[in-house]
Amino acid sequence: METTKKQIEKQIDQTILMVERLLRMDSVPKSELLVFAQWLNRFSEHDQAEFFERQTARWVSELDSVVEEVPHEQLVTLLAPVIDHLSERGRKKVVRKEMILSVTKRFLDNIQWKKALEQERYMTRFFGSIEDTLEVGYDLHVDAMLIDYEIIRMTNDALIVKLFKKLEASFIPLILIGPNDPGVRQACYALGTDDYWDETVGIDERKIRLKRLLRKLRTVSSSMLVDELTGAFNRKYLQNAYRRRTSRLERDGQLFALAIFDLDHFKRINDLHGHPTGDLVLTELASLTKQALRQDDELIRFGGEEFMVLFSADDSNHATEMMEKVRARIERHTFPNGLKVTVSIGLTVIDDVMRDLEEMTSEADEALYQAKRNGRNQVIVYAMATAKEKVKAVIKIEKTILPSLSLMEIPSHPKYDFDLVADNQKTAGVIQLYVMPLEQLAASNFKLVDEWKQTRDQIIDVIAIAGEENQLLGQALERGVTDYCLSPLDPHQLEEQIRQWAIRLP
């Protein structure tokens, strides 16, 4: 029974990876989509086969008139029921939606646009200023950004340049929204915007132009193998690098190790010294690590302040010694602004060609968090005895709403264990999400929200429950509330918002 359950889990994981790959394509050959339909059809005799059989029959019928290529828009429509089915299962992975961030003070004017985006399976976030975008949105994985021209006019030039450089370095599409004025349009293009929308650009045209920019982003991202900031390889490079290592292991018996490390208390560096200093620290950290590694070793920026190293090693002791050299070199170094930083490192040794990348990454991650729990600034090698404790992330739901979500399954995360509790419980966690009524959040001029924004050692996000889309809700989103749900609540919509929040945690 346990073996069958694991097989089903593996099939689910493989299916989600296939879906994610298909969604990144501009168009898909009809033959390839029919092969995927056959995969769904034989998904598993134990796993709701009727659902997948229905989807396969529908696809075959709808694709009958398609000659060769299935366009992206039709693909999204075909895949939507499968994505919803997989997401509702609350398994290890959920298909991550693309994040569209808007910087505007006209939230109420953007309600229909927000709904249109969410119907197209995008996530949305709103900020009221470029300062808040740089402060709060810096660590968000953003896929495109929209900014009102009025915000540009009210903002210090230095902040505008800083934000635009960040977007350009990450190839994130930038869209400015302003009046139908040729002079303003020309000025915006001179600033570096990728597109300009005036009031004549309706919602349907906006969606088409946004999709076009996102397709370009995917094309660029798929061809880039080096992280722009640090010069390390990026995650696109990782899969092939791991495959080359396992091929060498099979051919020559050369064992190798996978290590994951990140800076201790990096959020504190950003909060106290600013994100530009944080970027300098990351760049210098990558340079130091490369100097400590051998020519054949591969450094990959895994995400945020987290890096991965693939390197040959004779055994776990040899691998630990090598990573200890990296750790000690970083500890001795003085970084910009006179900063002294340390790293925690977790590693695992690969001696079996059948061990896949995801499994090995999970092992190194567990060892990394053991190093964190042991006091940081150390190297831990994975062993079966490694404690699998994770950092607690608390989701606090207003007590009258909680019963409707009591059966919700939250996707597993390599770093966090999620605790779903009533908002009046005193359970604490490094990561917190509050789901609360808007009136409660707005009390005393949003005093509670302002206090949460000042918290340095925690990440606190908020979903507001609102009776209507009014000016008060607009103020809440400007003040830092993450998102909202309208009452009467749709539990499925709220569950999806919570799941997307969980899988996006750094």
Side-chain angles (χ1 to χ4, degrees), residues 160-423:
I160 295 172
V161 170
K162 183 187 299 185
L163 177 62
F164 281 27
K165 282 185 175 179
K166 173 179 167 55
L167 297 176
E168 186 177 6
S170 304
F171 302 99
I172 295 172
L174 170 64
I175 302 160
L176 292 184
I177 302 172
N180 186 8
D181 181 327
V184 173
R185 183 190 308 271
Q186 184 175 339
C188 289
Y189 279 118
L191 281 172
T193 187
D194 295 294
D195 203 355
Y196 181 86
W197 297 348
D198 59 37
E199 57 264 29
T200 67
V201 182
I203 285 181
D204 288 340
E205 185 177 344
R206 284 184 173 197
K207 291 191 292 187
I208 292 170
R209 289 163 74 163
L210 176 62
K211 286 179 181 177
R212 178 176 58 83
L213 288 171
L214 289 171
R215 282 198 294 269
K216 287 184 177 180
L217 172 64
R218 295 186 203 108
T219 301
V220 171
S221 298
S222 64
S223 64
M224 296 292 291
L225 296 177
V226 176
D227 175 60
E228 289 288 309
L229 176 66
T230 63
F233 293 114
N234 62 23
R235 293 183 72 152
K236 298 283 190 312
Y237 176 87
L238 177 57
Q239 189 74 50
N240 285 336
Y242 186 86
R243 193 177 296 118
R244 286 195 299 271
R245 295 273 176 180
T246 53
S247 296
R248 190 185 306 173
L249 170 62
E250 185 174 26
R251 184 180 67 250
D252 303 330
Q254 175 61 66
L255 275 60
F256 67 101
L258 184 157
I260 298 177
F261 68 90
D262 68 13
L263 279 87
D264 300 324
H265 303 298
F266 184 64
K267 184 177 185 295
R268 194 175 299 167
I269 293 174
N270 280 334
D271 288 342
L272 296 177
H273 301 276
H275 287 288
T277 298
D279 284 349
L280 289 173
V281 169
L282 290 175
T283 302
E284 207 156 309
L285 175 76
S287 178
L288 276 175
T289 305
K290 288 178 187 176
Q291 293 170 23
L293 296 175
R294 299 164 303 187
Q295 186 173 356
D296 189 45
D297 301 336
E298 295 162 296
L299 177 67
I300 297 136
R301 189 179 182 192
F302 198 54
E305 73 273 23
E306 202 165 58
F307 291 83
M308 178 183 286
V309 183
L310 292 175
F311 60 102
S312 300
D314 298 332
D315 51 36
S316 58
N317 288 334
H318 182 209
T320 303
E321 289 173 6
M322 292 187 61
M323 286 301 101
E324 179 60 32
K325 290 178 182 177
V326 172
R327 185 207 62 79
R329 186 176 190 128
I330 292 168
E331 184 182 28
R332 290 194 303 268
H333 187 73
T334 300
F335 286 83
N337 289 357
L339 291 173
K340 303 292 286 186
V341 303
T342 60
V343 294
S344 301
I345 304 177
L347 68 87
T348 187
V349 175
I350 295 89
D351 58 5
D352 182 350
V353 295
M354 299 306 293
R355 308 292 293 279
D356 63 29
L357 175 59
E358 184 178 352
E359 185 182 2
M360 295 297 93
T361 301
S362 177
E363 288 189 359
D365 234 356
E366 287 174 15
L368 168 63
Y369 280 86
Q370 184 67 39
K372 296 281 190 184
R373 289 188 294 270
N374 287 355
R376 298 182 170 84
N377 191 25
Q378 57 189 274
V379 180
I380 295 289
V381 63
Y382 175 83
M384 293 306 293
T386 299
K388 294 191 177 182
E389 297 176 45
K390 297 179 182 179
V391 176
K392 181 182 285 188
V394 180
I395 301 171
K396 294 193 173 185
I397 313 289
E398 200 275 327
K399 58 182 179 294
T400 62
I401 301 170
L402 184 60
S404 66
L405 301 173
S406 59
L407 299 179
M408 175 183 177
E409 291 186 66
I410 303 169
S412 68
H413 194 287
K415 300 181 184 178
Y416 307 111
D417 271 331
F418 297 100
D419 198 0
L420 196 68
V421 301
D423 65 324

Side-chain angles (χ1 to χ4, degrees), residues 58-223:
R58 181 172 68 90
W59 286 15
V60 171
S61 173
E62 293 190 22
L63 294 175
D64 185 54
S65 60
V66 176
V67 180
E68 292 182 356
E69 295 282 326
V70 181
H72 184 78
E73 291 75 13
Q74 185 178 4
L75 177 69
V76 171
T77 302
L78 290 171
L79 289 176
V82 177
I83 293 170
D84 290 338
H85 176 77
L86 294 169
S87 295
E88 285 172 8
R89 297 174 61 98
R91 300 291 182 153
K92 288 184 178 180
K93 297 188 188 73
V94 178
V95 175
R96 188 187 73 81
K97 298 179 180 179
E98 290 173 303
M99 171 70 76
I100 312 301
L101 193 152
S102 296
V103 187
T104 179
K105 290 191 178 295
R106 300 180 301 109
F107 168 73
L108 294 181
D109 295 340
N110 283 280
I111 287 176
Q112 293 305 316
W113 173 235
K114 173 180 168 67
K115 290 179 177 177
L117 286 173
E118 290 172 352
Q119 287 171 358
E120 295 287 324
R121 302 195 63 81
Y122 296 114
M123 291 291 288
T124 58
R125 285 291 299 270
F126 284 79
F127 289 116
S129 69
I130 287 180
E131 290 91 335
D132 285 345
T133 306
L134 286 167
E135 177 88 16
V136 183
Y138 198 96
D139 298 318
L140 283 176
H141 184 103
V142 177
D143 297 285
M145 186 175 294
L146 285 64
I147 306 177
D148 276 355
Y149 179 66
E150 285 300 311
I151 296 283
I152 298 292
R153 290 180 63 248
M154 299 180 334
T155 304
N156 179 283
D157 288 347
L159 289 177
I160 295 172
V161 170
K162 183 187 299 185
L163 177 62
F164 281 27
K165 282 185 175 179
K166 173 179 167 55
L167 297 176
E168 186 177 6
S170 304
F171 302 99
I172 295 172
L174 170 64
I175 302 160
L176 292 184
I177 302 172
N180 186 8
D181 181 327
V184 173
R185 183 190 308 271
Q186 184 175 339
C188 289
Y189 279 118
L191 281 172
T193 187
D194 295 294
D195 203 355
Y196 181 86
W197 297 348
D198 59 37
E199 57 264 29
T200 67
V201 182
I203 285 181
D204 288 340
E205 185 177 344
R206 284 184 173 197
K207 291 191 292 187
I208 292 170
R209 289 163 74 163
L210 176 62
K211 286 179 181 177
R212 178 176 58 83
L213 288 171
L214 289 171
R215 282 198 294 269
K216 287 184 177 180
L217 172 64
R218 295 186 203 108
T219 301
V220 171
S221 298
S222 64
S223 64

